[in-house]
Amino acid sequence: MSLLNVQNLKVSFHTRNGEVKAVDDISFTVETGKITAIIGESGSGKSVACYSLLGLIPTPPGKIEGGSAVFEGNDLLQLSEAELRHIRGRDIAMIFQDPMTCLNPYMTVGHQLMEPIIYHKGVAKKEARQHAIELMEEVGIRDPDSTIDSYPHEFSGGMRQRVMIAMALINEPKLLIADEPTTALDVTIQAQILKLMADLQKKHSIGIIFISHDLAVVADIADQIIVMKKGKIVEHGDRQKIFKNAQHPYTRSLLAAIPAGTKVVSGSQSEALISIRNLNTWFGQGKHKEPVKAIKDVTLDIRRGEILGLVGESGSGKSTLGRSILRLVPITSGSISFDGVDLTELQGKDLKKMRRRMQMIFQDPYASLNPRMSVYDTLAEPLLLHKIETKKTVEQGVLKLMDDVGLARAFVRKYPHEFSGGQRQRIAIGRALATRPEFIVADEPVSALDVTIQAQILDLMLDLGKEYGLTMLFVSHDLAVVKHIADRIVVLYKGEIVEQGSGRDLFENPQQEYTRQLLQSIPGRALLG
Amino acid sequence: MTSVENTSAENNVPKNKISDIAMAEQGTSLWKDAWTRLKKNRMALFGLAVLMLFSIIALLTPWIAPYGYEQQNLDLGASPPSAQHWLGTDIFGRDLLTLIMYGGRISLAVGFVATAVALIIGVSYGAIAGYVGGRTDAFMMRMVDILYALPFMIFIILLMVVFGRNLLLLFLAIGMVEWLTMARIMRSQVQALRQQEFVEAAVSLGLGPVAIIRKHLVPNALGPIIVYTTLTIPGVMLLEAFLSFLGLGIQPPQTSWGLLISYGAETMEEFPWLLIFPGLALALTLFSLNFLGDGLRDALDVRSSKD
């Protein structure tokens, strides 16, 4: 008998614009000791489906219209709030996407772990602490005896997610719902967390529902995969079947969106557009303080017309390197020359002139656009500032940019909050292109986006790169993405370049241990080839 | 959005289509969009209309007031509302409607001018301190702290004693006190906003600090500023009444709403109309200000719903 049996679940939201069917008649089962993955893009209803089982959707506007969800003989949808609360946390536990917002920053990790232990098991403080340490050990936190008294901010993102998992395990749940548990993490950390979850699931023989937008993530761990689109299940089956023999066109498009293949590079080599020599960027230098050395003695050439991929994990200094070139952060020593001009000494007008020639695309399209400026204002600003267009012709310039980045002209007066993530990133790309730059730093431009959107944006960037004759520094933590887009790859580790070469060289013959580790972290290599 | 709209917006759009497209044709700036939204908010429009009416009356008072404000009728004394004196008369037999009209000139002028002074100084000071940061910020904000620490009554009394009593000085003195809080609010807003990537994007576009503050930071900090402004105007009006009551503001026979209210409060048991009508005028102004302030805040927030 299955652990959870969902039949004909329907959930809808009643909004001002009418009824939205978030989950439209879906049925699935979860088996004990198996991992069931639910895959779909934002708004496909994958999270709503799971949250509604636990009574976690706001009602109103949400409403469960019908169906049943039998868990251990009880229909979850028929239980009272008090009975549900009993099941939540005890028999069914959850892990969320962002471990930082789920932990109280003012309590030590140990306290937060001990509290539910004391509450649910009624044991003494000392015993609870012992139990908490055991749990931390089990989820792979080093030195739990001392780290138990640390605060959440002292932990890295991966460690925090481990704490969340430990917390979920306290009551030995029978079902664990993990909502995009690795989306906020680096690829290397993601691989570790995925392995941990698979191990724990085997050891405790629990059922896991793994919600994700990315098929590749679950390629190595899922037993059963459910693909959702617009509230409906379009395909489900075991892992082999989905990956090797997908039937539905949507599943195929999801598979196709997984960045694969290595860019073939032409042999010709052009001269360097940007030469970085012995660059150091340090932060927080004080009389009595040791500075944080974000960039240590980096020497690098970026050739005209190439897309250079810069890979590294959080804290490796890869974003700082991009910002240093653009003079967005002050550098400590070294030189950066752009087309023969030394950027490090430029001030005022000269700097403004150079700024026109190099632009940046940011990671988070929600933060990088001024919420009070319409698309028109956002795109017109650089055009007018650098006198590329006059007041009379600026409208044409704006519309041309919108065409280039694939935004419908009708959206010209809309504000950023009215767009989806992918559309916003198109606006941001348009703004960067407005000044007709020669060089663009793209700082993780697709890591905040769904996989299908990610593929579209990458293609757009490749096309525009050719059309505008751009040189690009493409910063990312994800080797699979970089390999897809970059001509040459540089691996950065703790502020230093550890390896560089063409995509093919790096993948077939990595020289450094760290590069190998990065390569092994790409999810779903085995199934995707 | 459907593709039908994509194509239609490029050529000629039927006028009765979705309002977004209509806006795409004519709207140009945040302010115009805000006005479009404000026009749909009845309460805010009511507030705006009342304030404009009061301001026009205040401007025209010397010509339209039924009596002169120094015109006394001691025989009449304090009389309740009647056909000759719509709102009654005060203890000297002066027409209350006339007094309220003349009082409105002073109160509204103090309220708006002093608040404008506070707004201009506070917003620019706070924005600069927040944007530049570091030592400049520390120095600028310590200055604010020092001014905060001064008992402001003493500060104003000192000003009055040194420069003599003068209406303009009163405006300035009150404005000088009120900008401190404005500067602090603005600074904390700007500090939070400048961490955002869109500011970094503006820097990399090559915008200068002034343009970044004006175009990117101030518009995003408008919400709290507007709310605080609508709170400041009534505060300033009451402050003027208090100063006048102490003998530091304006003096009889000149008058203001605050002054009328404080005199009316003394005699409210015998002559309640002397308190009720000036109080009503002030209350109506404050209500209107709050409605308008709320409406403006929503209108300037592009994220608020479009309908």
Side-chain angles (χ1 to χ4, degrees):
Chain A
M1 205 187 96
S2 53
L3 178 64
L4 174 71
N5 187 354
V6 178
Q7 290 298 328
N8 306 98
L9 178 68
K10 286 182 198 161
V11 183
S12 58
F13 285 89
H14 294 268
T15 67
R16 226 182 312 185
N17 302 327
E19 187 184 335
V20 179
K21 285 183 181 158
V23 176
D24 193 7
D25 199 7
I26 66 167
S27 306
F28 64 93
T29 57
V30 180
E31 309 292 331
T32 304
K34 293 263 169 72
I35 296 183
T36 304
I38 303 183
I39 306 293
E41 55 196 310
S42 325
S44 61
K46 58 191 193 301
S47 296
V48 174
C50 295
Y51 285 28
S52 60
L53 299 179
L54 294 177
L56 289 176
I57 55 167
T59 47
K63 186 165 180 249
I64 295 170
E65 305 280 359
S68 66
V70 179
F71 175 76
E72 298 201 302
N74 292 319
D75 184 355
L76 292 174
L77 303 180
Q78 305 300 330
L79 294 180
S80 70
E81 171 59 26
E83 289 166 312
L84 263 182
R85 203 177 319 146
H86 196 71
I87 288 180
R88 279 199 304 254
R90 179 161 300 195
D91 296 325
I92 304 179
M94 290 200 71
I95 311 171
F96 300 92
Q97 175 173 357
D98 186 355
M100 191 63 204
T101 51
C102 295
L103 290 168
N104 182 342
Y106 291 101
M107 272 167 81
T108 63
V109 167
H111 250 104
Q112 297 185 54
L113 278 171
M114 282 154 65
E115 209 175 42
I117 296 175
I118 294 170
Y119 176 79
H120 285 291
K121 308 209 155 160
V123 296
K125 229 177 168 184
K126 217 172 172 187
E127 219 175 305
R129 188 181 163 89
Q130 196 48 47
H131 191 116
I133 290 174
E134 282 163 20
L135 276 172
M136 287 172 76
E137 209 158 15
E138 186 172 1
V139 296
I141 295 172
R142 258 167 284 159
D143 260 339
D145 289 310
S146 54
T147 46
I148 190 167
D149 293 316
S150 314
Y151 287 89
H153 73 263
E154 296 171 72
F155 279 57
S156 66
M159 284 294 140
R160 282 196 287 260
Q161 196 57 282
R162 283 172 196 263
V163 174
M164 291 306 299
I165 294 173
M167 227 178 241
L169 290 178
I170 287 172
N171 289 301
E172 287 147 27
K174 302 188 179 77
L175 176 65
L176 183 67
I177 299 176
D179 188 1
E180 307 250 6
T182 60
T183 307
L185 304 174
D186 271 358
V187 190
T188 39
I189 312 295
Q190 168 171 293
Q192 293 167 13
I193 296 285
L194 289 175
K195 184 167 179 304
L196 172 69
M197 287 184 64
D199 289 351
L200 288 172
Q201 177 254 336
K202 278 198 194 83
K203 195 171 148 202
H204 296 271
S205 151
I206 44 180
I208 294 183
I209 298 179
F210 193 108
I211 304 173
S212 178
H213 68 94
D214 192 350
L215 255 178
V217 169
V218 298
D220 298 328
I221 60 164
D223 297 297
Q224 196 202 159
I225 294 174
I226 296 169
V227 180
M228 278 186 77
K229 187 190 184 190
K230 290 183 180 162
K232 288 195 165 75
I233 293 180
V234 297
E235 188 160 12
H236 70 108
D238 63 23
R239 172 172 55 155
Q240 290 294 336
K241 183 191 155 225
I242 295 285
F243 277 94
K244 296 291 178 208
N245 192 17
Q247 298 299 322
H248 197 275
Y250 181 67
T251 316
R252 290 202 198 134
S253 75
L254 278 179
L255 284 167
I258 298 169
T262 313
K263 199 173 170 187
V264 182
V265 193
S266 55
S268 68
Q269 298 213 333
S270 46
E271 85 283 22
L273 175 68
I274 293 173
S275 321
I276 302 164
R277 295 285 172 268
N278 306 98
L279 179 72
N280 280 289
T281 304
W282 299 352
F283 293 113
Q285 229 164 345
K287 267 180 201 156
H288 310 289
K289 229 171 37 181
E290 199 44 31
V292 178
K293 298 180 178 173
I295 300 289
K296 283 180 269 185
D297 206 27
V298 164
T299 296
L300 179 67
D301 280 337
I302 303 174
R303 297 183 198 123
R304 197 181 283 277
E306 79 173 344
I307 299 178
L308 180 66
L310 183 60
V311 185
E313 58 197 352
S314 322
S316 63
K318 58 190 194 301
S319 291
T320 308
L321 182 57
R323 284 174 160 81
S324 300
I325 300 173
L326 296 188
R327 286 279 311 268
L328 290 173
V329 292
I331 65 166
T332 310
S333 68
S335 75
I336 304 166
S337 78
F338 182 103
D339 201 10
V341 184
D342 188 356
L343 290 177
T344 47
E345 298 299 328
L346 288 182
Q347 287 300 334
K349 266 206 182 112
D350 299 328
L351 181 58
K352 185 179 162 188
K353 221 180 274 166
M354 290 310 287
R355 285 218 187 281
R356 182 182 161 173
R357 300 174 64 183
M358 44 194 203
Q359 284 298 312
M360 179 146 179
I361 299 167
F362 296 85
Q363 171 175 7
D364 183 357
Y366 292 84
S368 69
L369 295 171
N370 184 339
R372 305 268 172 154
M373 280 164 85
S374 62
V375 178
Y376 179 88
D377 293 331
T378 302
L379 295 180
E381 185 173 49
L383 291 175
L384 291 171
L385 180 75
H386 292 288
K387 306 202 170 62
I388 294 163
E389 303 279 354
T390 63
K391 279 227 160 104
K392 272 183 200 148
T393 62
V394 71
E395 179 136 17
Q396 283 314 307
V398 168
L399 293 177
K400 163 89 173 43
L401 279 172
M402 290 183 75
D403 293 345
D404 282 357
V405 298
L407 278 172
R409 287 182 168 199
F411 295 160
V412 68
R413 298 287 170 197
K414 285 187 171 276
Y415 289 90
H417 68 101
E418 296 169 81
F419 291 98
S420 67
Q423 286 173 319
R424 286 183 205 210
Q425 201 57 291
R426 286 176 194 265
I427 304 172
I429 291 171
R431 174 179 59 191
L433 290 177
T435 65
R436 313 277 146 78
E438 292 149 64
F439 175 62
I440 281 190
V441 174
D443 188 5
E444 306 249 13
V446 295
S447 46
L449 305 174
D450 272 3
V451 192
T452 39
I453 312 295
Q454 195 172 356
Q456 292 168 16
I457 295 288
L458 285 177
D459 288 343
L460 176 73
M461 289 179 68
L462 278 172
D463 289 348
L464 290 173
K466 252 181 238 145
E467 192 186 326
Y468 282 74
L470 290 173
T471 306
M472 220 185 286
L473 180 66
F474 191 97
V475 180
S476 179
H477 70 264
D478 191 345
L479 255 179
V481 169
V482 170
K483 161 175 105 144
H484 176 68
I485 194 171
D487 301 312
R488 208 153 58 90
I489 298 176
V490 171
V491 180
L492 205 63
Y493 182 62
K494 290 186 176 163
E496 287 171 289
I497 293 178
V498 291
E499 191 161 359
Q500 54 178 308
S502 74
R504 176 163 299 182
D505 290 352
L506 218 62
F507 272 75
E508 280 168 10
N509 192 13
Q511 296 299 312
Q512 300 292 323
E513 179 53 35
Y514 179 67
T515 316
R516 259 175 241 141
Q517 208 183 319
L518 271 178
L519 284 171
Q520 277 159 12
S521 305
I522 298 176
R525 278 170 314 132
L527 273 175
L528 297 164
Chain B
M1 288 288 148
T2 58
S3 57
V4 185
E5 284 165 20
N6 296 348
T7 47
S8 58
E10 288 165 27
N11 309 317
N12 45 343
V13 191
K15 277 280 183 272
N16 56 355
K17 265 221 146 183
I18 301 174
S19 63
D20 295 347
I21 295 182
M23 280 168 74
E25 296 231 298
Q26 29 140 321
T28 44
S29 70
L30 179 67
W31 300 101
K32 266 196 188 160
D33 286 356
W35 175 236
T36 318
R37 274 193 290 270
L38 189 68
K39 274 196 291 197
K40 291 177 192 154
N41 185 335
R42 287 220 189 129
M43 297 300 263
L45 279 189
F46 166 76
L48 186 65
V50 170
L51 288 176
M52 278 169 61
L53 183 70
F54 278 16
S55 308
I56 291 168
I57 293 177
L59 282 173
L60 299 178
T61 293
W63 296 279
I64 62 169
Y67 299 88
Y69 75 98
E70 285 169 314
Q71 203 175 324
Q72 297 184 349
N73 185 351
L74 290 171
D75 300 336
L76 194 61
S79 69
S82 63
Q84 284 82 39
H85 301 283
W86 292 354
L87 303 184
T89 55
D90 75 349
I91 47 172
F92 304 110
R94 291 187 294 176
D95 179 57
L96 188 58
L97 179 61
T98 310
L99 289 181
I100 289 177
M101 284 165 83
Y102 274 99
R105 281 165 76 85
I106 305 276
S107 285
L108 290 174
V110 170
F112 290 123
V113 176
T115 305
V117 171
L119 199 64
I120 292 166
I121 301 179
V123 167
S124 31
Y125 195 93
I128 292 168
Y131 185 72
V132 178
R135 280 192 196 158
T136 320
D137 175 39
F139 175 75
M140 287 174 82
M141 293 326 281
R142 289 306 78 72
M143 294 294 292
V144 169
D145 290 345
I146 290 169
L147 287 174
Y148 247 122
L150 287 179
F152 85 99
M153 281 315 296
I154 295 182
F155 177 65
I156 289 179
I157 292 169
L158 219 67
L159 273 176
M160 294 289 163
V161 171
V162 175
F163 294 105
R165 235 177 358 242
N166 176 328
L167 205 56
L168 197 70
L169 202 62
L170 187 72
F171 293 165
L172 269 179
I174 295 179
M176 290 294 280
V177 174
E178 294 289 332
W179 71 268
L180 298 170
T181 314
M182 200 77 85
R184 282 194 168 174
I185 294 175
M186 189 64 198
R187 170 176 173 264
S188 64
Q189 287 287 318
V190 167
Q191 266 186 336
L193 286 170
R194 63 177 290 226
Q195 308 291 336
Q196 302 250 12
E197 281 180 344
F198 69 82
V199 176
E200 214 174 354
V203 173
S204 76
L205 283 182
L207 257 72
V210 178
I212 290 175
I213 289 177
R214 196 172 54 82
K215 288 182 74 176
H216 292 272
L217 295 176
V218 173
N220 280 293
L222 278 177
I225 290 178
I226 288 172
V227 172
Y228 185 68
T229 305
T230 52
L231 292 175
T232 302
I233 295 176
V236 164
M237 287 181 179
L238 296 175
L239 189 61
E240 175 271 326
F242 176 56
L243 288 174
S244 300
F245 194 65
L246 287 182
L248 291 166
I250 49 155
Q251 290 304 305
Q254 274 196 324
T255 192
S256 71
W257 289 348
L259 217 49
L260 285 172
I261 289 170
S262 62
Y263 287 134
E266 287 172 28
T267 56
M268 72 178 195
E269 284 178 8
E270 301 111 287
F271 318 121
W273 60 89
L274 289 184
L275 177 62
I276 290 171
F277 292 119
L280 220 55
L282 185 65
L284 204 56
T285 311
L286 304 193
F287 271 127
S288 306
L289 271 170
N290 278 325
F291 291 148
L292 182 62
D294 276 0
L296 272 177
R297 191 196 51 200
D298 291 346
L300 284 167
D301 185 356
V302 292
R303 275 162 295 196
S304 69
S305 68
K306 276 225 151 174
D307 40 29

